[in-house]
Amino acid sequence: KVKGDGKNGFQFFTPAMNACYQERITLENELRQAIENQEFELYYQPKISLSAGRIVGMEALIRWRHPVHGLLNPDGFIDLAQESGLIGSITDWVLGEACGQLSRWHSMGFGDLCVSVNVSPQEFDAPSLVERVASHMNRHGISPDTLEIEITENLLLPDVSGVIEKMRLLRAHGVRISIDDFGTRYSSLNYLRRFPINVIKIDQSFVHDLAPGQPVSPIIHAVIGIARGFGLHLVVEGVETLHQMEVLAELGCDEMQGFLFGRPLPAFEAEERLLAPVCYPSPSH
Ligand code: C2E
Ligand code: MG
Ligand code: MG
Ligand code: MG
């Protein structure tokens, strides 16, 4: 039976809550093990430029090759990683791995390829973030403007001046800043003027609604206008159909990402896509 009114934070666990708690503890221990045993992998999803007709970037997306449950998506463990304080080690692994891969691709001749990494707001807030990013970049000799950090809009709400300062420092190290899932959170548009941002990514939910015979969401029009007005790069994520691509191209969007062009792939398969003759959208999708 649940007791307590919540005011003093005192509650007994019900059996169901207890099972859930046990599961969480198990997962947390497994996550800790996963860092030691190097069970994480980075998958890479291409970003293409319609005008260039080629891949211009890759987004690094973490996967956990769980010894029992198989390949897990980040939605299944990133929240827990944050709550349990394990996100720091994971972010370090992601940054090191992504920089290593980027440097490899640069040395193969893809000199202007950009790799982006997702950083959770909590990790962005960590005092050491700038130094850690810079040290990974230095170790792998990453050239300026080829590493991008994707952060979500809710980061922009608290402690505005601290965030601006940190972005400036990252920019000074040649890191590009991208606002992920743009349009999904309530936040003031005013920050676009104040923050040293390079890229905004229209959230895929707006793109999903783009179906034949349906009017284009006013949000898509608005975001395109915002990007133009502020001189920001615009990436559309979640493009799945030719129809969506054509409508967005007609509206002037150039950089796109989505299953139409390619799913997230292990590094060696992503590399095959880089080396393949240009053909977009890919005939295999
Ligand atoms: P995100 O950064 O917004 O990434 C886009 C997500 O949408 C990815 O899911 C991707 O696989 C999926 N996606 C891409 N194109 C399409 C499409 O055309 N249709 C549909 N339906 N989905 C598409 P994924 O890989 O499961 O990642 C989920 C989220 O987890 C990411 O959202 C990001 O916020 C977070 N994440 C991923 N990797 C990391 C990481 O290394 N660190 C942190 N802190 N978060 C990460
Ligand atoms: Mg992202
Ligand atoms: Mg996104
Ligand atoms: Mg997302």
Side-chain angles (χ1 to χ4, degrees):
K1 184 169 163 234
V2 181
K3 263 184 107 178
D5 55 9
K7 274 186 205 141
N8 53 8
F10 180 77
Q11 273 193 339
F12 289 116
F13 287 121
T14 63
M17 284 163 79
N18 196 44
C20 182
Y21 179 73
Q22 287 305 330
E23 221 169 83
R24 212 190 118 104
I25 296 286
T26 306
L27 194 63
E28 195 175 315
N29 286 331
E30 289 174 340
L31 203 53
R32 200 164 274 122
Q33 280 295 307
I35 297 169
E36 264 169 50
N37 301 345
Q38 309 206 335
E39 290 166 5
F40 297 112
E41 291 173 28
L42 283 187
Y43 274 41
Y44 294 89
Q45 186 181 33
K47 280 180 205 165
I48 64 105
S49 154
L50 289 182
S51 61
R54 62 183 174 87
I55 297 172
V56 291
M58 292 279 192
E59 177 173 6
L61 295 157
I62 196 169
R63 299 290 181 265
W64 177 8
R65 196 161 295 278
H66 189 283
V68 177
H69 306 305
L71 198 66
L72 301 183
N73 285 336
D75 290 335
F77 62 89
I78 283 292
D79 285 351
L80 181 65
Q82 300 198 58
E83 288 156 22
S84 59
L86 295 167
I87 191 74
S89 325
I90 294 178
T91 302
D92 270 317
W93 179 82
V94 169
L95 285 168
E97 184 73 14
C99 285
Q101 191 58 60
L102 182 56
S103 135
R104 177 184 153 83
W105 282 333
H106 282 173
S107 68
M108 285 173 66
F110 302 102
D112 55 6
L113 185 79
C114 181
V115 163
S116 64
V117 165
N118 295 279
V119 171
S120 63
Q122 185 191 330
E123 262 304 280
F124 195 88
D125 269 343
S128 59
L129 182 81
V130 178
E131 289 73 21
R132 285 152 65 208
V133 171
S135 95
H136 285 292
M137 288 177 76
N138 287 339
R139 186 148 50 87
H140 293 281
I142 302 302
S143 31
D145 285 330
T146 60
L147 180 70
E148 187 172 292
I149 286 185
E150 297 193 7
I151 42 178
T152 49
E153 270 177 289
N154 40 345
L155 173 77
L156 308 171
L157 295 174
D159 180 26
V160 168
S161 58
V163 171
I164 296 177
E165 180 55 19
K166 193 165 272 192
M167 285 182 177
R168 285 220 181 94
L169 290 170
L170 286 167
R171 293 290 305 126
H173 282 103
V175 179
R176 281 154 53 101
I177 310 280
S178 170
I179 303 301
D180 207 349
D181 304 346
F182 187 83
T184 53
R185 317 285 161 126
Y186 172 80
S187 54
S188 161
L189 290 180
N190 196 34
Y191 70 74
L192 291 171
R193 194 167 53 81
R194 301 180 56 203
F195 290 77
I197 292 163
N198 305 89
V199 185
I200 54 181
K201 296 182 80 175
I202 301 188
D203 188 64
Q204 45 191 33
S205 57
F206 306 117
V207 182
H208 283 179
D209 296 340
L210 266 183
Q214 295 290 312
V216 177
S217 158
I219 294 179
I220 291 185
H221 285 293
V223 174
I224 292 169
I226 287 165
R228 277 210 190 108
F230 286 96
L232 300 167
H233 279 277
L234 180 68
V235 176
V236 189
E237 52 177 3
V239 180
E240 292 182 349
T241 68
L242 272 174
H243 173 79
Q244 290 167 345
M245 181 193 81
E246 281 162 4
V247 170
L248 291 160
E250 190 70 28
L251 293 171
C253 299
D254 184 51
E255 278 190 44
M256 298 188 190
Q257 193 183 359
F259 293 170
L260 179 67
F261 308 102
R263 287 173 184 269
L265 297 167
F268 74 96
E269 283 181 58
E271 191 168 301
E272 284 172 0
R273 295 297 301 275
L274 274 178
L275 293 163
V278 179
C279 182
Y280 288 102
S282 156
S284 59
H285 292 280

